[in-house]
Amino acid sequence: MEFLKLSEFKNIFDKKIMDFFENLDLENHLKDPLFYYIESGGKRLRPWIIYNFGQIVSVNKKNLLDISIAVEILHSSSLIHDDLPALDNAKLRRGGLANHLKFGEYRAILAGDYGFTLPLQIIANLDNINDRNKLLLMDYFIKTILKLFQGEMEDLIFEKEVRDVSEKEILEMYSKKTGAVFGFCFASPFLLTGEVQLAKKMNTIGTNFGVSFQIFDDLKDLFTTEEEIGKETNKDINKKTLLSFYNYQETQIIADNIYRNVLQELEEINLKELSQILKEVRKTVETR
Amino acid sequence: MEFLKLSEFKNIFDKKIMDFFENLDLENHLKDPLFYYIESGGKRLRPWIIYNFGQIVSVNKKNLLDISIAVEILHSSSLIHDDLPALDNAKLRRGGLANHLKFGEYRAILAGDYGFTLPLQIIANLDNINDRNKLLLMDYFIKTILKLFQGEMEDLIFEKEVRDVSEKEILEMYSKKTGAVFGFCFASPFLLTGEVQLAKKMNTIGTNFGVSFQIFDDLKDLFTTEEEIGKETNKDINKKTLLSFYNYQETQIIADNIYRNVLQELEEINLKELSQILKEVRKTVETR
């Protein structure tokens, strides 16, 4: 089966998620800030993984798109809370004002809150899935959200508290903050069909993919101007990253090793097509 | 069946929820702020309703207590975010420092986030319930959480935006902000047994109970000193309440009418015992 390139998928997905918000019965004080980061773009990498992986193992498109929308809303909501003054205190995001500067802080907080629970409602509303598999999916998704918050907390603690942080702790933090959601993306097509063992394996592989993705992102941040990525760069100077331990080349090697390992593990479980898909992703995180 | 008085139940429940947190595998940066408002007390009214209603319709105690813990965590988390500087900017809560003043704002925000999702995990982990009824329960709970956020938003908008607000809008806001969670408390024992129609009816009755409870609470706030309730009083001067429309006596009459109607509706569906239970609650909101 042919898979969709990231740019092709983005067109399809953007229309779907716009429709979703247009039909969402929610008053504008919450809807506008929640939609703001979604409208302003992003690569739609997480939805794209769910959709392509699911297509290849043959799951119905409607469910894949609904889960994709749920994950994108979760991701956007985490950016809203991340950007708050008490957390990263971001001024810009995707070329526009940060959410709380555009809508006011209390609306950003409550829109984020809403956006952490709304994705679970989307999963709860899925059709054409049996009760058992839906519960499985919700269970995984809930765990994912909780890990995301734990990762955020560790990231902040490492930045704000004066203490030594080990390389292991940083990788652990990445696996929660960024890895957990990717783990869910990798696993969800298999949860839809109730293939529990495979889903579990995919969750682990996806988490590792997320870790490599996070490291590539750190590297990218180092060599990109504000204009190019539309948010402040190098403002994460107190953030603890792998670059606190290694230089650029060494860090790149670590990320590439994790990434190659992901591809290999997919091939080992006869999902070579999925590994092909991910090779396209690697280009999007090319750092220079 | 004998039902437990509020004070008797509080002893049992406090022990259960302390145990829950002791066994919760979560690092202290999140656990401490999340537990702080739970430890500092509260009447445990919501858990008490779930437990007693469930006992009377004969549902297993373990599930009732687990749902009670879930609801209390949800309630506490909503207080954590409510109290934030960008929202109500509270300095005190239950006689101690507000959460963000005790732990720092970023920890309060993330602990609240965590505490909005953790209750869903508790429900997802229930045993001795079939998949259908568990999904039903989760579906109701998700809707409850989303309504709570909508109510919070309306409450803040009414306070911060300069525009006229109607009595109808205030009652609608109460029904989301306070009513939704009480609606869930009333309904959950019937969701556990899959009595969908009755659960729906109970949800409506419980929501109305919550509205009367909120009005009693507004009245109480008017006549209580800071020392008595351990939070700042009369700081809600810009808040829109029914007292923006009616004087004390008139407001009291409205609340009592809603409350009496709740009791009557319970009696009409042959749940006179539940109406007896609620009569005890009325005393706890006695305003003077």
PDB file of all heavy atoms in Angstrom, chain A residues 7 9 20 32 52 61 91 132 184 188 190 207 222 225 227 229 242 261 266:
ATOM      1  N   SER A   7       3.491  16.044   3.569  1.00  0.00           N
ATOM      2  CA  SER A   7       2.839  17.246   3.034  1.00  0.00           C
ATOM      3  C   SER A   7       1.452  16.920   2.471  1.00  0.00           C
ATOM      4  O   SER A   7       0.514  17.707   2.609  1.00  0.00           O
ATOM      5  CB  SER A   7       3.713  17.899   1.971  1.00  0.00           C
ATOM      6  OG  SER A   7       3.979  16.944   0.955  1.00  0.00           O
ATOM      7  N   PHE A   9      -0.468  14.433   3.470  1.00  0.00           N
ATOM      8  CA  PHE A   9      -1.327  14.136   4.611  1.00  0.00           C
ATOM      9  C   PHE A   9      -1.783  15.406   5.308  1.00  0.00           C
ATOM     10  O   PHE A   9      -2.933  15.532   5.734  1.00  0.00           O
ATOM     11  CB  PHE A   9      -0.599  13.227   5.596  1.00  0.00           C
ATOM     12  CG  PHE A   9      -1.384  12.992   6.857  1.00  0.00           C
ATOM     13  CD1 PHE A   9      -2.488  12.151   6.857  1.00  0.00           C
ATOM     14  CD2 PHE A   9      -1.045  13.655   8.034  1.00  0.00           C
ATOM     15  CE1 PHE A   9      -3.237  11.959   8.015  1.00  0.00           C
ATOM     16  CE2 PHE A   9      -1.786  13.468   9.193  1.00  0.00           C
ATOM     17  CZ  PHE A   9      -2.880  12.610   9.181  1.00  0.00           C
ATOM     18  N   PHE A  20     -13.686  19.468  12.424  1.00  0.00           N
ATOM     19  CA  PHE A  20     -13.962  19.047  13.792  1.00  0.00           C
ATOM     20  C   PHE A  20     -14.242  20.262  14.672  1.00  0.00           C
ATOM     21  O   PHE A  20     -15.225  20.291  15.422  1.00  0.00           O
ATOM     22  CB  PHE A  20     -12.789  18.242  14.358  1.00  0.00           C
ATOM     23  CG  PHE A  20     -12.948  17.898  15.821  1.00  0.00           C
ATOM     24  CD1 PHE A  20     -13.664  16.774  16.212  1.00  0.00           C
ATOM     25  CD2 PHE A  20     -12.424  18.731  16.816  1.00  0.00           C
ATOM     26  CE1 PHE A  20     -13.833  16.470  17.561  1.00  0.00           C
ATOM     27  CE2 PHE A  20     -12.594  18.438  18.164  1.00  0.00           C
ATOM     28  CZ  PHE A  20     -13.306  17.304  18.535  1.00  0.00           C
ATOM     29  N   ASP A  32     -11.635  29.258  20.944  1.00  0.00           N
ATOM     30  CA  ASP A  32     -10.632  30.058  20.220  1.00  0.00           C
ATOM     31  C   ASP A  32      -9.196  29.778  20.679  1.00  0.00           C
ATOM     32  O   ASP A  32      -8.344  29.495  19.840  1.00  0.00           O
ATOM     33  CB  ASP A  32     -10.954  31.557  20.316  1.00  0.00           C
ATOM     34  CG  ASP A  32     -12.213  31.915  19.535  1.00  0.00           C
ATOM     35  OD1 ASP A  32     -12.670  31.077  18.741  1.00  0.00           O
ATOM     36  OD2 ASP A  32     -12.752  33.022  19.737  1.00  0.00           O
ATOM     37  N   ASN A  52      -0.763   6.617   8.750  1.00  0.00           N
ATOM     38  CA  ASN A  52      -0.014   5.723   7.855  1.00  0.00           C
ATOM     39  C   ASN A  52       0.179   4.326   8.429  1.00  0.00           C
ATOM     40  O   ASN A  52       0.009   3.338   7.738  1.00  0.00           O
ATOM     41  CB  ASN A  52       1.346   6.332   7.504  1.00  0.00           C
ATOM     42  CG  ASN A  52       1.260   7.263   6.304  1.00  0.00           C
ATOM     43  OD1 ASN A  52       0.534   6.987   5.352  1.00  0.00           O
ATOM     44  ND2 ASN A  52       1.969   8.358   6.350  1.00  0.00           N
ATOM     45  N   LYS A  61     -10.290   4.221   8.162  1.00  0.00           N
ATOM     46  CA  LYS A  61      -9.728   5.576   8.120  1.00  0.00           C
ATOM     47  C   LYS A  61     -10.376   6.530   9.104  1.00  0.00           C
ATOM     48  O   LYS A  61      -9.723   7.383   9.690  1.00  0.00           O
ATOM     49  CB  LYS A  61      -9.904   6.160   6.702  1.00  0.00           C
ATOM     50  CG  LYS A  61      -8.992   5.550   5.675  1.00  0.00           C
ATOM     51  CD  LYS A  61      -9.107   6.282   4.347  1.00  0.00           C
ATOM     52  CE  LYS A  61      -8.400   5.464   3.271  1.00  0.00           C
ATOM     53  NZ  LYS A  61      -8.375   6.132   1.970  1.00  0.00           N
ATOM     54  N   LYS A  91       7.054  33.721  24.505  1.00  0.00           N
ATOM     55  CA  LYS A  91       6.377  34.903  23.957  1.00  0.00           C
ATOM     56  C   LYS A  91       5.808  34.605  22.568  1.00  0.00           C
ATOM     57  O   LYS A  91       4.820  35.212  22.160  1.00  0.00           O
ATOM     58  CB  LYS A  91       7.367  36.073  23.847  1.00  0.00           C
ATOM     59  CG  LYS A  91       8.079  36.425  25.157  1.00  0.00           C
ATOM     60  CD  LYS A  91       7.206  37.270  26.059  1.00  0.00           C
ATOM     61  CE  LYS A  91       7.924  37.686  27.344  1.00  0.00           C
ATOM     62  NZ  LYS A  91       7.960  36.579  28.344  1.00  0.00           N
ATOM     63  N   ARG A 132     -14.188  -3.782  24.390  1.00  0.00           N
ATOM     64  CA  ARG A 132     -12.895  -4.221  24.923  1.00  0.00           C
ATOM     65  C   ARG A 132     -11.746  -3.385  24.348  1.00  0.00           C
ATOM     66  O   ARG A 132     -10.914  -2.846  25.068  1.00  0.00           O
ATOM     67  CB  ARG A 132     -12.703  -5.712  24.565  1.00  0.00           C
ATOM     68  CG  ARG A 132     -11.450  -6.371  25.048  1.00  0.00           C
ATOM     69  CD  ARG A 132     -11.599  -7.096  26.349  1.00  0.00           C
ATOM     70  NE  ARG A 132     -12.114  -6.298  27.432  1.00  0.00           N
ATOM     71  CZ  ARG A 132     -11.556  -6.199  28.637  1.00  0.00           C
ATOM     72  NH1 ARG A 132     -10.438  -6.837  28.876  1.00  0.00           N
ATOM     73  NH2 ARG A 132     -12.089  -5.485  29.587  1.00  0.00           N
ATOM     74  N   PHE A 184       2.193   6.200  21.980  1.00  0.00           N
ATOM     75  CA  PHE A 184       0.763   6.000  21.740  1.00  0.00           C
ATOM     76  C   PHE A 184       0.452   6.013  20.244  1.00  0.00           C
ATOM     77  O   PHE A 184      -0.361   5.218  19.764  1.00  0.00           O
ATOM     78  CB  PHE A 184      -0.056   7.061  22.481  1.00  0.00           C
ATOM     79  CG  PHE A 184      -1.529   6.912  22.253  1.00  0.00           C
ATOM     80  CD1 PHE A 184      -2.236   5.921  22.917  1.00  0.00           C
ATOM     81  CD2 PHE A 184      -2.200   7.724  21.349  1.00  0.00           C
ATOM     82  CE1 PHE A 184      -3.599   5.753  22.702  1.00  0.00           C
ATOM     83  CE2 PHE A 184      -3.567   7.559  21.119  1.00  0.00           C
ATOM     84  CZ  PHE A 184      -4.262   6.575  21.799  1.00  0.00           C
ATOM     85  N   SER A 188      -1.430   2.863  18.713  1.00  0.00           N
ATOM     86  CA  SER A 188      -2.887   2.976  18.593  1.00  0.00           C
ATOM     87  C   SER A 188      -3.516   2.162  17.460  1.00  0.00           C
ATOM     88  O   SER A 188      -4.592   1.579  17.660  1.00  0.00           O
ATOM     89  CB  SER A 188      -3.320   4.447  18.557  1.00  0.00           C
ATOM     90  OG  SER A 188      -2.663   5.144  17.546  1.00  0.00           O
ATOM     91  N   PHE A 190      -2.752  -0.697  16.508  1.00  0.00           N
ATOM     92  CA  PHE A 190      -2.803  -2.083  16.970  1.00  0.00           C
ATOM     93  C   PHE A 190      -3.755  -2.241  18.158  1.00  0.00           C
ATOM     94  O   PHE A 190      -4.289  -3.317  18.395  1.00  0.00           O
ATOM     95  CB  PHE A 190      -1.389  -2.562  17.302  1.00  0.00           C
ATOM     96  CG  PHE A 190      -0.448  -2.438  16.132  1.00  0.00           C
ATOM     97  CD1 PHE A 190       0.307  -1.286  15.950  1.00  0.00           C
ATOM     98  CD2 PHE A 190      -0.377  -3.446  15.177  1.00  0.00           C
ATOM     99  CE1 PHE A 190       1.140  -1.151  14.843  1.00  0.00           C
ATOM    100  CE2 PHE A 190       0.459  -3.325  14.062  1.00  0.00           C
ATOM    101  CZ  PHE A 190       1.213  -2.169  13.898  1.00  0.00           C
ATOM    102  N   THR A 207       8.128   5.073  21.729  1.00  0.00           N
ATOM    103  CA  THR A 207       8.691   5.919  22.788  1.00  0.00           C
ATOM    104  C   THR A 207      10.152   6.242  22.469  1.00  0.00           C
ATOM    105  O   THR A 207      10.591   7.391  22.578  1.00  0.00           O
ATOM    106  CB  THR A 207       8.584   5.196  24.146  1.00  0.00           C
ATOM    107  OG1 THR A 207       7.203   4.911  24.403  1.00  0.00           O
ATOM    108  CG2 THR A 207       9.126   6.070  25.275  1.00  0.00           C
ATOM    109  N   LEU A 222      19.385  24.621  18.119  1.00  0.00           N
ATOM    110  CA  LEU A 222      20.713  25.205  18.251  1.00  0.00           C
ATOM    111  C   LEU A 222      21.139  25.952  16.993  1.00  0.00           C
ATOM    112  O   LEU A 222      21.924  26.895  17.047  1.00  0.00           O
ATOM    113  CB  LEU A 222      21.703  24.045  18.500  1.00  0.00           C
ATOM    114  CG  LEU A 222      22.907  24.250  19.389  1.00  0.00           C
ATOM    115  CD1 LEU A 222      22.481  24.622  20.789  1.00  0.00           C
ATOM    116  CD2 LEU A 222      23.719  22.943  19.440  1.00  0.00           C
ATOM    117  N   THR A 225      17.322  30.016  13.239  1.00  0.00           N
ATOM    118  CA  THR A 225      17.031  31.373  13.694  1.00  0.00           C
ATOM    119  C   THR A 225      15.569  31.454  14.099  1.00  0.00           C
ATOM    120  O   THR A 225      14.736  30.632  13.719  1.00  0.00           O
ATOM    121  CB  THR A 225      17.278  32.404  12.574  1.00  0.00           C
ATOM    122  OG1 THR A 225      16.332  32.132  11.530  1.00  0.00           O
ATOM    123  CG2 THR A 225      18.686  32.306  12.036  1.00  0.00           C
ATOM    124  N   GLU A 227      13.345  33.482  13.131  1.00  0.00           N
ATOM    125  CA  GLU A 227      12.464  33.632  11.968  1.00  0.00           C
ATOM    126  C   GLU A 227      12.101  32.289  11.339  1.00  0.00           C
ATOM    127  O   GLU A 227      10.976  32.065  10.937  1.00  0.00           O
ATOM    128  CB  GLU A 227      13.133  34.501  10.911  1.00  0.00           C
ATOM    129  CG  GLU A 227      12.576  35.916  10.875  1.00  0.00           C
ATOM    130  CD  GLU A 227      13.412  36.805   9.973  1.00  0.00           C
ATOM    131  OE1 GLU A 227      13.536  36.463   8.783  1.00  0.00           O
ATOM    132  OE2 GLU A 227      13.943  37.814  10.465  1.00  0.00           O
ATOM    133  N   ILE A 229      11.869  29.236  12.622  1.00  0.00           N
ATOM    134  CA  ILE A 229      10.913  28.342  13.293  1.00  0.00           C
ATOM    135  C   ILE A 229       9.796  29.056  14.043  1.00  0.00           C
ATOM    136  O   ILE A 229       8.905  28.437  14.584  1.00  0.00           O
ATOM    137  CB  ILE A 229      11.603  27.317  14.237  1.00  0.00           C
ATOM    138  CG1 ILE A 229      12.426  28.004  15.320  1.00  0.00           C
ATOM    139  CG2 ILE A 229      12.440  26.329  13.457  1.00  0.00           C
ATOM    140  CD1 ILE A 229      12.873  27.031  16.410  1.00  0.00           C
ATOM    141  N   LEU A 242      20.597  16.781  26.426  1.00  0.00           N
ATOM    142  CA  LEU A 242      21.789  15.959  26.242  1.00  0.00           C
ATOM    143  C   LEU A 242      23.006  16.819  25.935  1.00  0.00           C
ATOM    144  O   LEU A 242      24.137  16.432  26.193  1.00  0.00           O
ATOM    145  CB  LEU A 242      21.582  14.954  25.102  1.00  0.00           C
ATOM    146  CG  LEU A 242      20.994  13.593  25.448  1.00  0.00           C
ATOM    147  CD1 LEU A 242      21.319  12.610  24.343  1.00  0.00           C
ATOM    148  CD2 LEU A 242      21.505  13.062  26.789  1.00  0.00           C
ATOM    149  N   ASN A 261      18.013   2.231  15.540  1.00  0.00           N
ATOM    150  CA  ASN A 261      17.547   1.097  16.321  1.00  0.00           C
ATOM    151  C   ASN A 261      16.024   0.921  16.193  1.00  0.00           C
ATOM    152  O   ASN A 261      15.516  -0.200  16.114  1.00  0.00           O
ATOM    153  CB  ASN A 261      17.943   1.301  17.790  1.00  0.00           C
ATOM    154  CG  ASN A 261      18.057  -0.018  18.509  1.00  0.00           C
ATOM    155  OD1 ASN A 261      18.470  -1.013  17.938  1.00  0.00           O
ATOM    156  ND2 ASN A 261      17.643  -0.020  19.769  1.00  0.00           N
ATOM    157  N   LEU A 266      11.564  -2.319  14.000  1.00  0.00           N
ATOM    158  CA  LEU A 266      10.357  -2.457  13.170  1.00  0.00           C
ATOM    159  C   LEU A 266      10.558  -3.539  12.122  1.00  0.00           C
ATOM    160  O   LEU A 266       9.651  -4.322  11.827  1.00  0.00           O
ATOM    161  CB  LEU A 266      10.003  -1.126  12.495  1.00  0.00           C
ATOM    162  CG  LEU A 266       9.433  -0.033  13.397  1.00  0.00           C
ATOM    163  CD1 LEU A 266       9.278   1.272  12.620  1.00  0.00           C
ATOM    164  CD2 LEU A 266       8.083  -0.461  13.979  1.00  0.00           C
TER     165      LEU A 266
END
